[in-house]
Amino acid sequence: MNKKLAIIGGGNLGAAMAEGLISSGFIQPAHLIVTKRNIDTLKPLEKKGVMVSNSNTEAVQYADWILLAIKPFQLKEVLTQIKPYLDPAKHVLISAVTGAWIKDIRELTGEDITLFRAMPNTAIAIRESMTCIHASGGNKEQVNYVTSLFNQLGKTVFIEEKLMDAATVLGACGTAFAMRYIRANIQGGIEIGFSAATASLIAAQTVKGAAELLLQKNTHPEQEIDKVTTPKGCTIAGLNEMEHQGFSSSLIRGVVTSYKKIVNDM
């Protein structure tokens, strides 16, 4: 890829994305510029050949693609700052700003620029993100570029923008939900005899393996459950006890509660 990319916001998300894109070979370091007010924390990227700057306008003038990895409260300031330098014939904008809707961004950028909205999760730091994307405009080449970019950092799916709040719950909050299950599994493992370190390894790798089964074999969870449960066995006994205690229903209620929180209060 010979496109030049500017990542506006070199915090945890922006820096992780830059590292992943470089290590995957998707972009040459010299074709990438990352901005942050305090560029001292970007020294590791600079040593790899990435340009770093505290000037967002400089980055926009250099790049073809602009990826916003900033906090929601920074969005208006940043877009107002770079708008005079945005060229719809040259630039494509990707927003990874939580809760920032296309219509809100266009109020600040104008209607002409091609715009994508992306919702990654924290596993982007290890190139295992689930990123949900919505396109507002864009030709086949541009869609392919965005898809390829985020595929270097995990997996992608295109969704309607109205599902972005739901994607935040399932894909971003979902990381915390999965971690809470793993933590409980570790605690159970300790109670039945394992050390904390061994229980943690077994629990985490088991969840990773279970997820890979679904992703690689494209099966339904119940199909894989059926392979583990035997008549009068220990697995079905444990599963049934969890269901008696409300395991599935409490998880579903948690997902719905988080969604209502986003829709109603944020």
Side-chain angles (χ1 to χ4, degrees), residues 128-154:
E128 289 291 348
S129 175
M130 180 65 245
T131 302
C132 296
I133 305 169
H134 174 74
S136 178
N139 55 38
K140 183 177 180 180
E141 180 186 357
Q142 292 166 335
V143 169
N144 287 341
Y145 179 87
V146 172
T147 304
S148 297
L149 186 155
F150 284 103
N151 276 343
Q152 309 306 312
L153 306 170

Short mmCIF file of all heavy atoms in Angstrom, two decimals, residues 128-154:
data_model
loop_
_atom_site.label_atom_id
_atom_site.label_comp_id
_atom_site.label_asym_id
_atom_site.label_seq_id
_atom_site.Cartn_x
_atom_site.Cartn_y
_atom_site.Cartn_z
N GLU A 128 -5.77 -8.38 17.43
CA GLU A 128 -6.88 -9.34 17.52
C GLU A 128 -8.20 -8.61 17.76
O GLU A 128 -9.11 -9.15 18.38
CB GLU A 128 -6.62 -10.35 18.64
CG GLU A 128 -5.53 -11.35 18.35
CD GLU A 128 -5.89 -12.35 17.26
OE1 GLU A 128 -7.08 -12.42 16.87
OE2 GLU A 128 -4.99 -13.06 16.78
N SER A 129 -8.32 -7.40 17.24
CA SER A 129 -9.54 -6.62 17.43
C SER A 129 -10.70 -7.18 16.62
O SER A 129 -10.50 -7.82 15.59
CB SER A 129 -9.31 -5.17 17.01
OG SER A 129 -10.50 -4.40 17.09
N MET A 130 -11.90 -6.93 17.11
CA MET A 130 -13.11 -7.08 16.30
C MET A 130 -13.54 -5.66 15.98
O MET A 130 -13.95 -4.91 16.86
CB MET A 130 -14.19 -7.81 17.08
CG MET A 130 -15.50 -8.01 16.29
SD MET A 130 -15.32 -9.07 14.86
CE MET A 130 -15.67 -7.91 13.52
N THR A 131 -13.39 -5.27 14.71
CA THR A 131 -13.69 -3.90 14.32
C THR A 131 -14.94 -3.85 13.45
O THR A 131 -15.00 -4.50 12.41
CB THR A 131 -12.51 -3.28 13.54
OG1 THR A 131 -11.33 -3.32 14.36
CG2 THR A 131 -12.81 -1.83 13.17
N CYS A 132 -15.93 -3.10 13.88
CA CYS A 132 -17.16 -2.88 13.12
C CYS A 132 -17.02 -1.56 12.36
O CYS A 132 -16.58 -0.55 12.93
CB CYS A 132 -18.36 -2.84 14.05
SG CYS A 132 -18.67 -4.41 14.90
N ILE A 133 -17.39 -1.58 11.08
CA ILE A 133 -17.16 -0.43 10.20
C ILE A 133 -18.45 -0.03 9.50
O ILE A 133 -19.24 -0.89 9.09
CB ILE A 133 -16.10 -0.76 9.12
CG1 ILE A 133 -14.80 -1.27 9.78
CG2 ILE A 133 -15.81 0.45 8.24
CD1 ILE A 133 -13.81 -1.85 8.79
N HIS A 134 -18.64 1.27 9.37
CA HIS A 134 -19.75 1.80 8.58
C HIS A 134 -19.16 2.79 7.57
O HIS A 134 -18.33 3.63 7.91
CB HIS A 134 -20.78 2.51 9.44
CG HIS A 134 -21.85 3.19 8.64
ND1 HIS A 134 -22.85 2.50 8.01
CD2 HIS A 134 -22.03 4.51 8.33
CE1 HIS A 134 -23.63 3.35 7.37
NE2 HIS A 134 -23.16 4.57 7.55
N ALA A 135 -19.61 2.67 6.31
CA ALA A 135 -19.11 3.56 5.25
C ALA A 135 -20.15 4.60 4.90
O ALA A 135 -21.33 4.28 4.72
CB ALA A 135 -18.77 2.73 4.01
N SER A 136 -19.71 5.85 4.79
CA SER A 136 -20.55 6.93 4.30
C SER A 136 -19.89 7.46 3.04
O SER A 136 -19.01 8.32 3.08
CB SER A 136 -20.68 8.04 5.35
OG SER A 136 -21.46 9.11 4.87
N GLY A 137 -20.32 6.91 1.90
CA GLY A 137 -19.62 7.18 0.66
C GLY A 137 -18.48 6.19 0.48
O GLY A 137 -18.35 5.23 1.25
N GLY A 138 -17.67 6.41 -0.48
CA GLY A 138 -16.51 5.54 -0.70
C GLY A 138 -16.71 4.60 -1.86
O GLY A 138 -17.74 3.96 -1.99
N ASN A 139 -15.69 4.52 -2.71
CA ASN A 139 -15.74 3.59 -3.84
C ASN A 139 -15.16 2.24 -3.43
O ASN A 139 -14.76 2.04 -2.29
CB ASN A 139 -14.99 4.17 -5.05
CG ASN A 139 -13.54 4.53 -4.71
OD1 ASN A 139 -12.87 3.83 -3.96
ND2 ASN A 139 -13.06 5.64 -5.27
N LYS A 140 -15.13 1.31 -4.36
CA LYS A 140 -14.69 -0.05 -4.06
C LYS A 140 -13.25 -0.06 -3.55
O LYS A 140 -12.92 -0.77 -2.60
CB LYS A 140 -14.82 -0.93 -5.29
CG LYS A 140 -14.46 -2.39 -5.05
CD LYS A 140 -14.68 -3.23 -6.29
CE LYS A 140 -14.32 -4.69 -6.03
NZ LYS A 140 -14.53 -5.53 -7.26
N GLU A 141 -12.39 0.73 -4.16
CA GLU A 141 -10.99 0.78 -3.76
C GLU A 141 -10.85 1.29 -2.33
O GLU A 141 -10.07 0.75 -1.53
CB GLU A 141 -10.19 1.68 -4.70
CG GLU A 141 -8.71 1.79 -4.33
CD GLU A 141 -7.96 2.80 -5.19
OE1 GLU A 141 -8.58 3.37 -6.12
OE2 GLU A 141 -6.76 3.03 -4.93
N GLN A 142 -11.61 2.31 -1.98
CA GLN A 142 -11.55 2.87 -0.64
C GLN A 142 -12.09 1.90 0.40
O GLN A 142 -11.53 1.75 1.49
CB GLN A 142 -12.31 4.20 -0.60
CG GLN A 142 -11.63 5.30 -1.41
CD GLN A 142 -12.53 6.49 -1.65
OE1 GLN A 142 -13.76 6.38 -1.64
NE2 GLN A 142 -11.93 7.66 -1.87
N VAL A 143 -13.19 1.22 0.07
CA VAL A 143 -13.75 0.22 0.98
C VAL A 143 -12.73 -0.91 1.19
O VAL A 143 -12.54 -1.38 2.31
CB VAL A 143 -15.08 -0.34 0.43
CG1 VAL A 143 -15.53 -1.56 1.23
CG2 VAL A 143 -16.15 0.75 0.47
N ASN A 144 -12.09 -1.33 0.11
CA ASN A 144 -11.09 -2.40 0.22
C ASN A 144 -9.91 -1.97 1.08
O ASN A 144 -9.36 -2.78 1.84
CB ASN A 144 -10.60 -2.81 -1.17
CG ASN A 144 -11.63 -3.61 -1.94
OD1 ASN A 144 -12.56 -4.16 -1.36
ND2 ASN A 144 -11.48 -3.67 -3.25
N TYR A 145 -9.52 -0.70 0.96
CA TYR A 145 -8.40 -0.21 1.76
C TYR A 145 -8.73 -0.23 3.25
O TYR A 145 -7.93 -0.70 4.06
CB TYR A 145 -8.03 1.22 1.33
CG TYR A 145 -6.87 1.81 2.12
CD1 TYR A 145 -5.55 1.59 1.73
CD2 TYR A 145 -7.10 2.58 3.27
CE1 TYR A 145 -4.49 2.12 2.45
CE2 TYR A 145 -6.05 3.10 3.99
CZ TYR A 145 -4.75 2.89 3.58
OH TYR A 145 -3.70 3.41 4.31
N VAL A 146 -9.91 0.27 3.60
CA VAL A 146 -10.31 0.28 5.01
C VAL A 146 -10.41 -1.15 5.55
O VAL A 146 -9.96 -1.44 6.66
CB VAL A 146 -11.65 1.01 5.19
CG1 VAL A 146 -12.17 0.85 6.61
CG2 VAL A 146 -11.48 2.49 4.88
N THR A 147 -10.99 -2.03 4.74
CA THR A 147 -11.11 -3.42 5.16
C THR A 147 -9.73 -4.04 5.38
O THR A 147 -9.50 -4.70 6.41
CB THR A 147 -11.87 -4.24 4.09
OG1 THR A 147 -13.14 -3.64 3.85
CG2 THR A 147 -12.08 -5.67 4.56
N SER A 148 -8.83 -3.82 4.45
CA SER A 148 -7.48 -4.37 4.58
C SER A 148 -6.75 -3.80 5.79
O SER A 148 -6.05 -4.52 6.51
CB SER A 148 -6.67 -4.09 3.30
OG SER A 148 -7.24 -4.73 2.19
N LEU A 149 -6.92 -2.50 6.00
CA LEU A 149 -6.26 -1.85 7.13
C LEU A 149 -6.66 -2.52 8.45
O LEU A 149 -5.80 -2.93 9.23
CB LEU A 149 -6.61 -0.36 7.13
CG LEU A 149 -5.90 0.55 8.14
CD1 LEU A 149 -5.89 1.99 7.63
CD2 LEU A 149 -6.57 0.53 9.52
N PHE A 150 -7.95 -2.63 8.68
CA PHE A 150 -8.39 -3.18 9.96
C PHE A 150 -8.25 -4.70 10.03
O PHE A 150 -8.17 -5.26 11.13
CB PHE A 150 -9.82 -2.73 10.27
CG PHE A 150 -9.89 -1.30 10.73
CD1 PHE A 150 -10.33 -0.30 9.88
CD2 PHE A 150 -9.50 -0.94 12.01
CE1 PHE A 150 -10.39 1.03 10.30
CE2 PHE A 150 -9.55 0.38 12.44
CZ PHE A 150 -10.00 1.36 11.59
N ASN A 151 -8.18 -5.36 8.87
CA ASN A 151 -7.91 -6.80 8.89
C ASN A 151 -6.48 -7.10 9.35
O ASN A 151 -6.21 -8.21 9.81
CB ASN A 151 -8.14 -7.41 7.51
CG ASN A 151 -9.59 -7.76 7.27
OD1 ASN A 151 -10.39 -7.84 8.21
ND2 ASN A 151 -9.96 -7.96 6.01
N GLN A 152 -5.58 -6.13 9.24
CA GLN A 152 -4.24 -6.30 9.79
C GLN A 152 -4.26 -6.30 11.31
O GLN A 152 -3.32 -6.75 11.96
CB GLN A 152 -3.30 -5.18 9.32
CG GLN A 152 -3.27 -4.92 7.84
CD GLN A 152 -2.97 -6.14 7.03
OE1 GLN A 152 -2.03 -6.89 7.31
NE2 GLN A 152 -3.78 -6.38 6.00
N LEU A 153 -5.35 -5.79 11.87
CA LEU A 153 -5.45 -5.58 13.32
C LEU A 153 -6.50 -6.49 13.96
O LEU A 153 -6.87 -6.29 15.11
CB LEU A 153 -5.79 -4.11 13.59
CG LEU A 153 -4.84 -3.10 12.93
CD1 LEU A 153 -5.40 -1.68 13.04
CD2 LEU A 153 -3.46 -3.17 13.55
N GLY A 154 -6.95 -7.49 13.23
CA GLY A 154 -7.95 -8.42 13.74
C GLY A 154 -8.93 -8.79 12.66
O GLY A 154 -8.55 -9.06 11.52
#
